[in-house]
Amino acid sequence: QVQVVESGGRVVQAGGSLRLSCTASGLTFDRYTMGWFRQAPGQEREGVSCTNWSGGLTDYSYSVEGRFTISRDNAKNTLYLQMTNLKPEDSARYYCAVGNDPYYFGGYCKTADFGHWGQGTEVTVSS
């Protein structure tokens, strides 16, 4: 059974930094694309950043490119999202997800390509 657990969310001031972590178990982690998504109240879930099985390919949404960095440690079955220069509009619940198909990387973060989701971790950026 695949389990996905996010951590690291908290309240941070605008301009600050935060690192989210995600551990996944019950799968061969280094075969799968991994992604970060977020959802603010009243809004649809959106893709933030994704990376292929090796970490060599990445994609970022326009709103976070240049401020967020996705990375993974396959030896630890862990995905990270380093967030810098945070803005109030980054406030949301952040979810980690596992790609549906081994080795497939669609080039951008589409929720339909991801099947296993964590419960999320809350990020609040105060102005």
Side-chain angles (χ1 to χ4, degrees), residues 96-117:
C96 173
V98 181
N100 286 328
D101 301 310
Y103 302 116
Y104 174 75
F105 181 67
Y108 64 100
C109 307
K110 187 171 61 175
T111 55
D113 288 341
F114 292 80
H116 296 287
W117 297 79

Side-chain angles (χ1 to χ4, degrees), residues 31-35 49-60 70 72 99-110 113-114:
R31 293 182 181 179
Y32 290 89
T33 288
M34 297 292 295
S49 183
C50 298
T51 184
N52 75 326
W53 61 274
S54 69
L57 298 175
T58 58
D59 178 72
Y60 296 91
I70 192 171
R72 63 191 296 164
N100 286 328
D101 301 310
Y103 302 116
Y104 174 75
F105 181 67
Y108 64 100
C109 307
K110 187 171 61 175
D113 288 341
F114 292 80

Side-chain angles (χ1 to χ4, degrees), residues 9-14 18 86-88 90-94 121-127:
R10 61 176 176 88
V11 179
V12 62
Q13 286 190 333
L18 200 59
L86 282 159
K87 304 175 181 181
D90 294 318
S91 296
R93 192 163 187 85
Y94 283 70
T121 185
E122 197 73 26
V123 174
T124 302
V125 184
S126 61
S127 57

Side-chain angles (χ1 to χ4, degrees), residues 6-10 20-21 36 92-95 119-123:
E6 305 94 336
S7 63
R10 61 176 176 88
L20 305 183
S21 299
W36 286 101
R93 192 163 187 85
Y94 283 70
Y95 297 89
Q119 294 299 306
T121 185
E122 197 73 26
V123 174

Side-chain angles (χ1 to χ4, degrees), residues 24-73:
S25 60
L27 77 165
T28 306
F29 184 80
D30 62 5
R31 293 182 181 179
Y32 290 89
T33 288
M34 297 292 295
W36 286 101
F37 297 78
R38 67 187 182 187
Q39 188 168 19
Q43 298 187 19
E44 291 188 358
R45 190 171 297 188
E46 63 170 349
V48 174
S49 183
C50 298
T51 184
N52 75 326
W53 61 274
S54 69
L57 298 175
T58 58
D59 178 72
Y60 296 91
S61 69
Y62 177 79
S63 61
V64 308
E65 191 159 18
R67 299 187 298 122
F68 291 11
T69 302
I70 192 171
S71 63
R72 63 191 296 164
D73 185 338

